[in-house]
Structure formats: C-alpha cells, structure tokens
Amino acid sequence: MFSDLFFEILKLILPKQKHPKLKDTNKHQGLRNQLVKQLEEKGITDKNVLAAISKIPRHLFLNSSFEDFAYQDKAFPIGAGQTISQPYTVAFQSQLLEVQKEQKILEIGTGSGYQTAVLSLMGAKVYSVERQNELFKATSILLPKLNIRPKHLSFGDGYKGLPNYAPFDGIIVTAGAPFIPQPLMAQLKIGGRLVIPVGEKEQIMTLLIRKNETQFEKHEFGDFRFVPLLENKN
C-alpha cells in the first residue's frame, strides 16, 4: 500500500495530463477483473454493482498521473479539494441502494462522475448535483465521451437536492454530512432508500428507508471517511 504522502508528492512532480485518447485496453480489463474479485472478497454481492465496476474504465476518471494505480481499492484526489472514492465505498453505497432498472436516483456529489457511471450502468436514471464548478464542467464533458448519459447533471447546493425532479426512488450522498438534510428526506419516495455518510471527521454510513409520509427506518453500517458536504454554495 502507498502512503497518502506518496500520492501528494506524485501530484507535485508529475505533469497534469488529460486523456486525449480514451484508451481502455485488455490490461485495464484484467485489472478490473482483479478489482471485482477483491470487492467480492470484501463482501460485495450485488451482481449488478460488480458488473458495472467490471466495465467502467476507472483510470479515465483520474488524472493520467494516477493511471497505474487506478484499480487499487483506494481513493484519489481529483481536483477542487475533492476525491474519487475507493471502489469498495462506491460498491458498498451502490449495493445499499438496491437499484432497479429505470429507477430515478438522485446523486449528491457528482465528483469525477465515476459513481454516476456505476449507477447508470446499473440501469438507473441518474440525476446528479455537483457544487464544484470545475468538476461539474469536466464531468459534463467526460461522461458523454464514454457514452454514459445521466438524465440530468446540475451545478448547485446538494443540501437542497433537486425538488423539481422529485420524488426519487433512491438518493445517494457521496460526501460526509453532519446531519441528514431534510430536503433530501422529503424528496424520497415512499419505499425509497437514502444512503448517506453522517458525521464530521469520520462518518457512519447510514441507510434510511421511507416507510410512509412521516416515518423512516434507519440502519447504520460502520465508519467511513468522506470529504465534507458543504452547504450554501449557490
């Protein structure tokens, strides 16, 4: 395993490169297959999640300086002080959502677009909000190049959700929130699932299932670490 300091040094000494050619090779596929096996060993059982991760070229969602490390089960910086979550975290949150084809899923925190891609390949109609304009612009360009077309991408405050497109079958939050935003709970369908890491420096992965207009069933799944979900960006 490489230390966080190693990756900080790597960012400084290697040039910032984009991907003029979006290459996805047999080598990359082999590395993805190995990653899927690791995720299975760690307890990911949802075949749709695993199939999506086996197909999506994660290296294309990273600065090419990190390409050789893209299929490690590790988070990486993506710019604007944000990170792409480690594949296990992406898989775990996706599995908790129990996505069915054609369901409307709201994603809070588009980031690199990798989680967006996983949900899209699982058959979801993805509506995603990103608060960092730099990332919003980059992801809006990258996803169509990979033939991944979410229903809606927007630049805005994730705490507010997307009330004009509600209700949603599922909501996934990819940043740590000190509390569960009420607007997101309100935008969830009855029977819908909200997956959110709750806490300050470290978060508890939390699942809310909406039982009726006023009641939610709550489940907790241990400690995770995310960048913070910031309020009132726009």
Side-chain angles (χ1 to χ4, degrees), residues 86-213:
Q86 71 181 93
Y88 174 75
T89 302
V90 171
F92 189 80
Q93 286 194 283
S94 301
Q95 180 167 280
L96 285 181
L97 273 181
E98 297 187 357
V99 175
Q100 305 296 317
K101 288 188 183 300
E102 301 299 313
Q103 281 189 331
K104 287 174 62 178
I105 303 296
L106 172 61
E107 177 191 31
I108 304 300
T110 316
S112 68
Y114 181 70
Q115 175 74 78
T116 317
V118 169
L119 295 170
S120 296
L121 261 68
M122 291 175 68
K125 296 178 178 178
V126 183
Y127 297 74
S128 191
V129 181
E130 173 55 51
R131 69 171 192 84
Q132 297 285 357
N133 202 29
E134 171 190 342
L135 298 179
F136 167 69
K137 289 179 178 178
T139 302
S140 298
I141 292 169
L142 175 63
L143 289 176
K145 289 182 178 179
L146 300 176
N147 201 30
I148 296 167
R149 303 186 185 279
K151 291 290 289 184
H152 180 77
L153 293 178
S154 65
F155 171 59
D157 184 346
Y159 276 85
K160 299 175 182 176
L162 289 175
N164 291 342
Y165 296 92
F168 296 98
D169 297 290
I171 300 175
I172 180 172
V173 181
T174 63
F179 56 87
I180 302 174
Q182 288 293 329
L184 300 186
M185 296 171 68
Q187 291 170 37
L188 193 65
K189 281 184 180 178
I190 293 174
R193 303 167 75 87
L194 166 59
V195 177
I196 179 171
V198 181
E200 299 284 353
K201 291 184 179 179
E202 291 189 355
Q203 297 85 31
I204 302 294
M205 189 65 72
T206 304
L207 167 66
L208 291 186
I209 302 173
R210 186 165 198 171
K211 307 306 288 185
N212 54 44
E213 289 294 334

Side-chain angles (χ1 to χ4, degrees), residues 5-32:
L5 177 60
F6 171 83
F7 290 110
E8 290 302 316
I9 294 171
L10 193 63
K11 281 196 294 180
L12 294 174
I13 64 176
L14 292 177
K16 288 189 176 182
Q17 303 171 20
K18 301 301 180 182
H19 295 275
K21 294 181 180 179
L22 301 179
K23 291 184 177 179
D24 187 33
T25 66
N26 288 335
K27 177 184 176 183
H28 292 127
Q29 184 61 64
L31 291 171
R32 285 198 292 277

